[in-house]
Amino acid sequence: MGIRRVIRSAAQPGIWRRGPILTALALLLGLLLLLHAQITDRAGLGSLVETFLPWFGLFVPLLLAPALWRRSASAVLALLLPAVVWINLFGGLLSDKSHSGGDLTVVSHNVDADNPDPAGTARRLAASGADVLALEEVTAQAKPLYERELATAYPYHTVQGTVGLWSTLPLSDTRPVDIKMDAGPLGDTKPLDVKMTYNRALRATVATRQGPLAVYVAHLGSVRVLPSTGFWTESRNRGATALAQALAAEHNERVVLLGDLNGTTDDRAFDAITSRLRSAQDVAGDGFGFSWPARFPVARIDQILVRGVKPTSSWVLPATGSDHRPVAAAISW
């Protein structure tokens, strides 16, 4: 009897004519999710949409409620498009793909230049059990504190400008990586010792039992929403291009990239990086792994990307004194 009632209701032409605006909004939402890569990046619009792309799924239930209230069959049917596209894009992140074990645990954390308790942050990170620890936004004032607090757990370390790498295993071939924080002729005239004070990327080789592992640490340029230029990503995008070039030239088959990239892996700006490396969170995480801002994370801009090794688990650590949360992953060979 219930099925017949539904069939009779669906046969009424009125319910298909109700809610034309809701139907149009549902279709637009579906097209936005489906064709997000085709959105113009003028004023950074494409990057802005892709940064928060998972959150557009919330509009499905928000539109479904009035569609049911209006008894609009066309709107309900139209909502299938964004629902199916969203599940195709992000449904895999809703399940727990992590496994036990792993040969090496890596952690990355933007410790925040304005961190009120760098020593306490260092102690929390040391207690994480990471074998390899990458820090971003290490100021000249806080550097001695991090070195002192991490010295016992990590006998090997290197700091190149504002990024550092601490390790329980020997490091070699440590060097800065130029991610083009300076642009144009004026930047080219700056001496190396001046550039090193604000260098934001490095490369090192970690000697593991399974062989050498190339580890990159990067803190790409910040992004801003400005009235005059929209979503400003020029510095970040320039750094992403330079970092992708460095990764393309890397001869070691096993690579781990740790850092604050100031963008999500859905952002088109990182296509040249994500085409070579895969996200540990996507492969072996549980959920979206949002890391920023620390109080209420809405985006994962802190990344662990790998090549030639297998992520077995990926997770987000509890907040420290930073405005970012640390991210961690276990990898195996």
Side-chain angles (χ1 to χ4, degrees):
M1 185 66 69
I3 296 177
R4 291 180 180 177
R5 186 179 299 127
V6 171
I7 294 174
R8 284 198 301 268
S9 298
Q12 297 176 8
I15 67 170
W16 295 98
R17 297 171 184 166
R18 296 170 186 157
I21 295 177
L22 290 171
T23 303
L25 289 175
L27 292 173
L28 287 173
L29 176 61
L31 291 174
L32 182 146
L33 290 168
L34 183 65
L35 303 174
H36 65 88
Q38 307 306 317
I39 297 174
T40 178
D41 207 30
R42 183 176 296 178
L45 178 61
S47 284
L48 182 62
V49 168
E50 288 166 341
T51 297
F52 300 102
L53 198 61
W55 292 96
F56 282 88
L58 291 177
F59 288 105
V60 174
L62 288 178
L63 290 173
L64 180 60
L68 292 174
W69 181 72
R70 289 291 308 276
R71 290 187 292 177
S72 170
S74 58
V76 172
L77 185 63
L79 282 169
L80 287 176
L81 175 62
V84 169
V85 175
W86 190 93
I87 290 172
N88 182 63
L89 289 172
F90 304 110
L93 295 174
L94 301 179
S95 61
D96 185 357
K97 300 175 292 298
S98 62
H99 302 279
S100 59
D103 298 311
L104 200 70
T105 299
V106 297
V107 167
S108 178
H109 190 28
N110 180 327
V111 292
D112 187 4
D114 298 320
N115 191 323
D117 185 20
T121 295
R123 288 192 292 270
R124 291 187 184 184
L125 293 172
S128 69
D131 300 295
V132 175
L133 171 64
L135 302 185
E136 303 88 46
E137 277 197 31
V138 178
T139 64
Q141 295 76 20
K143 177 185 172 184
L145 294 173
Y146 289 115
E147 290 177 325
R148 184 186 68 212
E149 296 295 336
L150 295 172
T152 301
Y154 301 98
Y156 309 98
H157 87 282
T158 179
V159 177
Q160 306 281 338
T162 63
V163 293
L165 186 67
W166 277 258
S167 175
T168 61
L169 301 168
L171 300 176
S172 63
D173 194 19
T174 60
R175 62 178 185 268
V177 175
D178 184 8
I179 55 171
K180 309 299 182 184
M181 293 304 298
D182 285 307
L186 182 60
D188 294 337
T189 63
K190 293 182 180 179
L192 181 60
D193 58 337
V194 173
K195 290 185 177 182
M196 276 303 299
T197 60
Y198 54 87
N199 175 69
R200 292 171 65 150
L202 67 82
R203 185 242 184 243
T205 298
V206 179
T208 75
R209 292 181 180 180
Q210 293 77 18
L213 175 70
V215 176
Y216 285 77
V217 181
H219 180 199
L220 298 186
S222 298
V223 297
R224 298 283 187 270
V225 179
L226 303 173
S228 58
T229 59
F231 191 47
W232 184 81
T233 60
E234 180 181 345
S235 175
R236 196 269 319 263
N237 292 355
R238 186 171 63 244
T241 299
L243 182 58
Q245 292 170 349
L247 292 166
E250 175 59 53
H251 296 298
N252 197 322
E253 293 181 358
R254 299 181 178 124
V255 179
V256 173
L257 168 60
L258 307 166
D260 172 10
L261 302 189
N262 270 310
T264 72
T265 53
D266 295 311
D267 194 320
R268 66 193 68 185
F270 303 108
D271 286 351
I273 295 176
T274 55
S275 63
R276 294 185 175 92
L277 284 75
R278 53 183 182 163
S279 165
Q281 183 67 25
D282 289 351
V283 174
D286 181 11
F288 291 94
F290 294 149
S291 62
W292 177 89
R295 289 188 177 182
F296 187 80
V298 297
R300 184 181 179 88
I301 63 174
D302 302 278
Q303 308 293 346
I304 299 176
L305 306 177
V306 304
R307 182 183 79 195
V309 293
K310 179 182 178 181
T312 56
S313 57
S314 179
W315 64 99
V316 178
L317 293 168
T320 67
S322 171
D323 57 342
H324 293 242
R325 293 194 183 188
V327 293
I331 60 175
S332 62
W333 272 252

